[in-house]
Amino acid sequence: MAFPAKITLAERASVAGRVVLAAGGGYGVAALATALLSLTLPLTRAEAVAAATLLSFAVMAGIVVFVFAQRSLLRATVAVTGLAGLLCLGLWLAMRGLTP
Amino acid sequence: MKGSFRQSMAWLHTWSGLIVGWVLFAIFVTGTASYYRPDITRWMRPELTRAAPLDAPALGAAAERAVTYLKEHAPKARGWFIGLPQPDKPVLDLFWRTRPGEPPGHAMLDPRTGTEAAMRDTRGGDFLYRFHFELHMPPLWGRWVVGICAMIMLVALISGIVTHKRIFADFFTFRRDKAPRRSWLDAHNVTGVLALPFHLMITYTGIITLALMYMPWGVTTAYKGDNQAFFAEAGWVTTPRAPANRPAALAPVGPLVERALATVPETLERLSVVNPGDANATVIAVFEEPHGLSHQHPQIAFDGVSGEMLEVLGDGLKPAAKTFTVMTGLHEAHFAGTALRLLFFLCGLMGCAMVATGIVLWSLARLPKANERAFFGLRLVQALNIGSIAGLPAAVAVFFLANRLLPVDLAGRAEWEIDAFFGAWIVAALVPLVRPQRRAWCEGLAAVSLLCLAVVAADILTIPGHPLRLMGGDPLFAWFDAAMLLLAGLFALAARKVLRYEAPRKEGKRERDMAQGPRPEPMAPSPTRAPVRHREPTHA
């Protein structure tokens, strides 16, 4: 129940932060996962791209739910950036593997 | 977030649902109507009558007439797209693209003469169909807005499911006579849960239809961004051929059509001529999908100069590529026969009702108490609710009405119809701002009902071949009018409910309430619901 008068500035900032993290982080993680899986799934190239793209929106929805379910914004931020970092590393390795 | 997982999901459901609710309602309404896109288009072009299917030589001759027209009117185009005449749509439907970013050229020809077909200028059902995913905005913008709304809808669905502790019991719960907010909540639950598999399917597959625009990164890394190469490797399109930049005469397409028909047993839907006039021209024959869920058109590519058959694409798709086409197929429901199509349509209507009850619920949950004034956000939401829930159906009805009432030879007629649509919508959205809440609801709903009746009247009066006026007339008009009458009845019923609900409150009850102090809080626990539920509010 949200009546305007009762919302503090801190709560507003927390909600705004979550929206940004859910949208940006969610899309970022989904995009990185799609790129990584497209290169690494043990399928033919077209199949890997198709499968990764099909999954990507479920990944994004999962991240959004996760961000809003976490108790603290900080924990959510750490988890999402950590995951994005891991995916970045994986993608970097996969792309290096492609062009030695 | 504060509180339990379920509470944070209830919060997420409420707010994600609210911010995109109005756009989602428009997407749902126009998308639901699009299940009958060919029928709506045919209704809006009453000059065209159903024709017997053409045999192979006649179809080939019609295609030759299309090419003759295109050679004259679009000699520099990079691609010609020739929709071949079908029994439901007995015209040559031509498109051509000259330069990227420019709107395509378009013409409709009579397949027997090759001259422009005589009929009223209208976008028909295609307007509602394009609005469904482009909102009549520039395509790129519209598709992104719709995609973002669809993604938020997906999140709202997931969080809505989590919010439901008693999803199975709520399924059978509808408390009509309880507090108004209760029955709205129940209506939201029933329409949401009853068609939940449909809602999840339609949202996810809807995103998938434009997946490569929203999520191009797989193609970026694996194919260096070359979409066409990916499509060809997945088996969705024939191998693209670059232009040779040497002119060469196009082979006659009539024989190609006949050979294509002899190769694939499906109905031939259209021809694409890529790089016409070039030595590397390609003619691609595209067939209707075979019976089944998958949205994959069989295709045959011919060399446009020698006429040699280059490639035949059937249904040899691998699992992930096939899943893609099945998802698109499920969304568009081309496979559905009469009964299944009706079921999809009803599920779509339930989606409209789910969104509508959801956004109304938000405003009901925040109604001011007796001694408070409505805050600005509430008044805005209330006005937007009426403007979309009554305004959009009114606009669609005016769109149909304009199709029947505008002079047939009016210049820019198709645009006038669309202007009428938006004009009606703007009026319907602005009027509630200056009217009291309940009055505005009642008037808006009643107006939709009257407009639907007006569409039926205009149809019967202006169409000489209407089955009510002519024995053996096209039954399509009768079906369309019956659907309009049904909608008129539904909206009249809704208007009456609002009116009747208002009456006792306005006369005696309100004064009594005032005398006794503030009305009882509508969320007071009711005997049918476990008191525990009260501590953990949902949807509020």
Side-chain angles (χ1 to χ4, degrees):
Chain A
M1 300 287 257
F3 292 99
K6 291 184 194 161
I7 299 173
T8 64
L9 192 65
E11 277 171 336
R12 277 179 200 278
S14 163
V15 168
R18 275 171 214 272
V19 169
V20 170
L21 183 66
Y27 187 79
V29 167
L32 286 167
T34 310
L36 179 62
L37 289 176
S38 293
L39 295 177
T40 54
L41 279 180
L43 302 163
T44 61
R45 187 164 65 147
E47 283 289 282
V49 171
T53 310
L54 282 171
L55 275 177
S56 61
F57 304 100
V59 172
M60 176 158 180
I63 297 286
V64 173
V65 167
F66 172 82
V67 166
F68 281 96
Q70 287 302 302
R71 261 169 201 283
S72 89
L73 178 56
L74 185 69
R75 256 179 67 174
T77 315
V78 169
V80 171
T81 43
L83 187 57
L86 278 179
L87 287 168
C88 265
L89 184 68
L91 185 60
W92 182 68
L93 288 173
M95 288 181 73
R96 241 171 57 119
L98 279 185
T99 50
Chain B
M1 305 298 288
K2 282 183 290 187
S4 67
F5 179 55
R6 186 171 285 122
Q7 273 170 323
S8 61
M9 285 302 110
W11 181 94
L12 183 58
H13 182 78
T14 303
W15 293 98
S16 60
L18 180 76
I19 52 170
V20 295
W22 303 288
V23 183
L24 277 180
F25 184 76
I27 297 174
F28 257 100
V29 168
T30 50
T32 303
S34 293
Y35 282 129
Y36 290 100
R37 168 161 73 127
D39 309 85
I40 292 174
T41 307
R42 202 149 69 81
W43 184 86
M44 293 180 79
R45 290 187 178 129
E47 292 82 5
L48 293 182
T49 44
R50 280 176 68 93
L54 297 178
D55 60 359
L59 210 56
E64 285 290 358
R65 290 185 192 108
V67 168
T68 310
Y69 180 93
L70 286 164
K71 273 181 179 160
E72 187 185 330
H73 290 86
K76 293 222 166 63
R78 298 180 312 143
W80 296 338
F81 306 93
I82 305 168
L84 293 166
Q86 311 293 339
D88 271 0
K89 191 184 177 190
V91 285
L92 285 162
D93 196 357
L94 310 183
F95 283 94
W96 56 91
R97 285 190 182 283
T98 311
R99 221 165 282 127
E102 258 181 42
H106 179 223
M108 297 244 228
L109 307 186
D110 186 325
R112 285 159 304 186
T113 61
T115 53
E116 294 196 14
M119 59 181 173
R120 63 188 68 192
D121 182 19
T122 177
R123 295 276 306 278
D126 292 356
F127 169 70
L128 298 174
Y129 168 72
R130 307 285 294 197
F131 190 93
H132 170 61
F133 60 94
E134 288 175 354
L135 304 173
H136 205 66
M137 292 159 86
L140 204 64
W141 282 92
R143 287 171 189 208
W144 270 106
V145 171
V146 170
I148 290 166
C149 289
M151 199 65 219
I152 296 176
M153 162 100 184
L154 188 62
V155 170
L157 278 177
I158 296 171
S159 53
I161 295 168
V162 174
T163 307
H164 262 290
K165 194 152 45 177
R166 318 187 319 149
I167 199 160
F168 189 71
D170 274 348
F171 189 75
F172 299 101
T173 312
F174 183 70
R175 287 152 296 185
R176 212 183 110 227
D177 299 323
K178 296 279 181 262
R181 189 173 144 204
R182 264 301 157 63
S183 36
W184 278 104
L185 178 58
D186 288 345
H188 186 62
N189 289 343
V190 167
T191 52
V193 176
L194 193 61
L196 185 62
F198 173 82
H199 298 325
L200 278 171
M201 178 280 282
I202 213 71
T203 310
Y204 206 84
T205 56
I207 300 171
I208 292 299
T209 55
L210 293 172
L212 290 171
M213 182 185 150
Y214 301 137
M215 198 59 75
W217 311 112
V219 180
T220 308
T221 50
Y223 286 88
K224 312 238 177 310
D226 187 352
N227 271 333
Q228 289 303 317
F230 168 56
F231 293 156
E233 226 174 275
W236 293 333
V237 299
T238 55
T239 314
R241 305 203 309 160
N245 293 321
R246 275 180 290 116
L250 191 68
V253 293
L256 299 187
V257 166
E258 291 184 46
R259 270 164 64 204
L261 285 169
T263 314
V264 173
E266 303 298 331
T267 309
L268 184 56
E269 202 173 83
R270 59 181 187 266
L271 296 179
S272 309
V273 185
V274 186
N275 301 317
D278 186 89
N280 261 358
T282 318
V283 177
I284 304 164
V286 183
F287 294 83
E288 266 181 21
E289 305 107 315
H291 191 70
L293 292 180
S294 176
H295 178 80
Q296 169 64 14
H297 297 266
Q299 295 167 44
I300 303 177
F302 296 95
D303 187 298
V305 177
S306 69
E308 182 199 347
M309 202 181 278
L310 298 170
E311 198 177 348
V312 181
L313 273 192
D315 189 34
L317 296 179
K318 295 217 179 72
K322 179 97 178 170
T323 309
F324 233 105
T325 59
V326 166
M327 284 203 168
T328 315
L330 272 174
H331 192 83
E332 301 188 337
H334 285 169
F335 60 86
T338 312
L340 196 53
R341 184 163 299 267
L342 190 64
L343 182 67
F344 267 73
F345 181 76
L346 292 178
C347 285
L349 286 185
M350 263 195 263
C352 304
M354 173 183 69
V355 178
T357 49
I359 49 184
V360 169
L361 198 53
W362 187 96
S363 68
L364 285 179
R366 283 158 190 78
L367 278 185
K369 302 208 178 66
N371 51 356
E372 283 177 355
R373 286 195 56 201
F375 55 98
F376 172 73
L378 177 65
R379 288 209 309 274
L380 181 71
V381 168
Q382 285 174 334
L384 280 169
N385 282 353
I386 305 175
S388 56
I389 296 171
L392 175 65
V396 174
V398 167
F399 179 62
F400 291 149
L401 206 54
N403 178 269
R404 284 294 182 262
L405 296 184
L406 289 176
V408 174
D409 50 1
L410 182 70
R413 193 175 189 286
E415 282 69 46
W416 275 103
E417 284 178 11
I418 293 170
D419 291 347
F421 172 88
F422 284 107
W425 200 355
I426 290 169
V427 170
L430 289 183
V431 168
L433 288 175
V434 295
R435 305 285 295 158
Q437 244 303 273
R438 266 176 213 295
R439 286 260 115 218
W441 269 113
C442 184
E443 288 163 359
L445 295 168
V448 178
S449 181
L450 288 177
L451 283 168
C452 288
L453 290 177
V455 171
V456 177
D459 192 35
I460 296 173
L461 289 176
T462 58
I463 302 301
H466 195 286
L468 283 185
R469 289 171 58 176
L470 182 77
M471 279 294 280
D474 193 338
L476 171 81
F477 297 109
W479 281 114
F480 192 101
D481 291 350
M484 280 289 140
L485 282 178
L486 207 61
L487 284 176
L490 279 176
F491 276 100
L493 201 68
R496 189 160 160 269
K497 282 269 170 216
V498 176
L499 193 68
R500 285 225 324 205
Y501 180 74
E502 180 184 31
R505 272 174 56 106
K506 232 183 148 184
E507 311 304 326
K509 191 163 174 283
R510 200 167 183 186
E511 281 160 20
R512 249 182 292 137
D513 281 350
M514 293 292 231
Q516 288 169 1
R519 271 185 296 127
E521 180 54 25
M523 196 54 186
S526 86
T528 49
R529 186 162 276 202
V532 128
R533 175 68 184 260
H534 183 55
R535 298 170 60 90
E536 213 175 290
T538 58
H539 303 279

